[in-house]
Amino acid sequence: MNNMRTGSTLHDDQTGDSPLGGLGGQARGASGGLLPEIWMQDGAKRVEQALARLLCTEDDGETELMAAMRYATLHGGKRTRALLCLAAGALADTPAHMLADAGAAIEMMHACTLVHDDLPAMDNDVLRRGLPTVHVKFGEATAILVGDALQAHAFLTLANLDAPGDNRIALVHELAQAVSAEGAAGGQARDLSLVGKHVELERIVATHRMKSGALVRASVRMGALCAIGEDAAHAALYRALDRYSESFGLALQVVDDILDATANAATLGKTPGKDAAAQKPTCASIMGLQAARQLALELLRDAEEAIAPLGPRAERLAQMLQRANAYLLKHAPWA
């Protein structure tokens, strides 16, 4: 991929097309970088603006497809995967507009998986992000089409990205791999196959790494792949990012398992207790809540260790870990 840029340093005082362009005068932390709440808020706003722009075609009056697609993507969500993409992009000095569109593509794909997971044939949930799920509001057939269309629009967004051809090919391949039979689709199939069974923890972990972890891994890698090729010169960088994202992705799913068993609908934004009601084995049900909490904290520490060699360039990735840790301690404190 010889057309890819090789820059790898982000200067926090840049404006314009820096990953945080236009915020050069905002509040900064002790290291000189923008405070996490500033860049995360700005990053999420940029991604949501990109989503609104990219999903702007009006319905033809005969269907509600685009309205349902916008409903699925623009009504809430923590934008964790998009922010991971932006945080990794800070390592590569990737332009803001490129990261916003890549983050929007990731959020479209994430929304696709959620819409399909919520269907009656899958997890059969009626709440998502505190609102009726897409199939409840628009009907099951429309929800299926929403997921299909969002997946297509995610790839269209990457194919049209303002980036060299090699970068775009790498990004499309990365996202496709994340939702393939080796990624989210395969993980969902395994998840369904385990319902009502007594299985060992290793099988649950393997399923989690596919079902949700693969898209987290892709989100981190895509932030770097926007500008830095995965070649021998950058092998150490991608090893660090892969270890970080694999640990972080699994930690997020373990936290989700814990909250499903302990939190209320207001915290979750979806129906609590679904795993137990469906007899779905999880890390929390197999290990117990205390051990699952400890596992999540250990995974977050492992992710932190993974990026330590990258130094200050990885500050935003470290801040994403701090955000996840604070969320766990707030919503699932030690008993």
Side-chain angles (χ1 to χ4, degrees):
M1 298 185 180
N2 52 17
N3 288 335
M4 290 192 175
R5 296 166 51 199
T6 57
S8 59
T9 302
L10 170 68
H11 302 289
D12 287 315
D13 58 352
Q14 288 180 327
T15 58
D17 257 355
S18 77
L20 299 171
L23 288 176
Q26 295 285 356
R28 296 178 181 276
S31 67
L34 283 168
L35 291 172
E37 60 269 21
I38 300 295
W39 78 259
M40 289 181 190
Q41 182 180 28
D42 179 69
K45 181 179 178 181
R46 285 176 179 270
V47 169
E48 286 166 6
Q49 289 172 338
L51 284 167
R53 168 174 50 82
L54 292 163
L55 300 175
C56 64
T57 303
E58 294 185 3
D59 287 311
D60 58 11
E62 298 182 7
T63 75
E64 294 182 295
L65 180 58
M66 184 56 70
M69 291 167 66
R70 291 172 67 88
Y71 179 86
T73 54
L74 290 169
H75 288 75
K78 296 184 287 294
R79 307 302 182 199
T80 299
R81 289 150 192 82
L83 288 174
L84 284 169
C85 178
L86 269 60
L91 289 164
D93 201 11
T94 306
H97 70 278
M98 191 185 301
L99 282 174
D101 279 14
I106 290 166
E107 288 295 323
M108 289 181 206
M109 190 63 76
H110 180 49
C112 162
T113 66
L114 298 181
V115 171
H116 282 172
D117 282 1
D118 289 337
L119 287 168
M122 298 286 189
D123 292 342
N124 192 23
D125 212 332
V126 298
L127 280 178
R128 174 66 66 178
R129 296 171 176 171
L131 297 170
T133 47
V134 175
H135 73 270
V136 170
K137 185 172 179 64
F138 294 94
E140 190 172 347
T142 296
I144 294 170
L145 294 173
V146 164
D148 293 345
L150 284 173
Q151 183 173 119
H153 277 257
F155 289 124
L156 283 171
T157 298
L158 296 178
N160 293 325
L161 201 66
D162 180 21
D166 284 350
N167 299 67
R168 286 181 276 133
I169 291 170
L171 290 166
V172 168
H173 179 273
E174 192 67 40
L175 190 57
Q177 183 73 27
V179 295
S180 70
E182 299 175 359
Q188 177 69 355
R190 291 183 61 155
D191 193 52
L192 293 170
S193 74
L194 297 178
V195 170
K197 297 180 181 178
H198 296 284
V199 298
E200 61 274 14
L201 180 63
E202 290 74 14
R203 290 183 67 187
I204 301 300
V205 168
T207 300
H208 284 350
R209 290 193 186 281
M210 294 171 67
K211 183 180 178 182
S212 56
L215 189 55
V216 170
R217 181 176 185 267
S219 300
V220 174
R221 290 172 61 84
M222 287 170 68
L225 286 169
C226 282
I228 297 178
E230 188 177 8
D231 51 29
H234 301 102
L237 170 65
Y238 279 97
R239 282 197 300 271
L241 292 180
D242 285 349
R243 179 183 165 193
Y244 168 92
S245 59
E246 287 169 3
S247 295
F248 193 16
L250 181 55
L252 290 181
Q253 186 57 57
V254 174
V255 171
D256 192 65
D257 290 350
I258 294 168
L259 295 181
D260 183 80
T262 62
N264 56 33
T267 298
L268 286 175
K270 57 184 180 179
T271 307
K274 292 283 291 183
D275 293 337
Q279 295 185 304
K280 182 186 295 185
T282 67
C283 289
S285 67
I286 292 176
M287 302 178 69
L289 291 173
Q290 297 293 71
R293 287 186 182 93
Q294 186 61 39
L295 174 60
L297 292 172
E298 290 172 359
L299 287 165
L300 292 174
R301 281 195 291 269
D302 184 67
E304 183 180 21
E305 291 175 4
I307 56 173
L310 301 179
R313 292 186 300 145
E315 180 180 21
R316 293 188 182 96
L317 288 171
Q319 289 168 343
M320 292 297 295
L321 296 175
Q322 295 163 10
R323 181 190 194 219
N325 188 74
Y327 185 83
L328 172 63
L329 295 178
K330 178 181 179 180
H331 295 293
W334 296 98

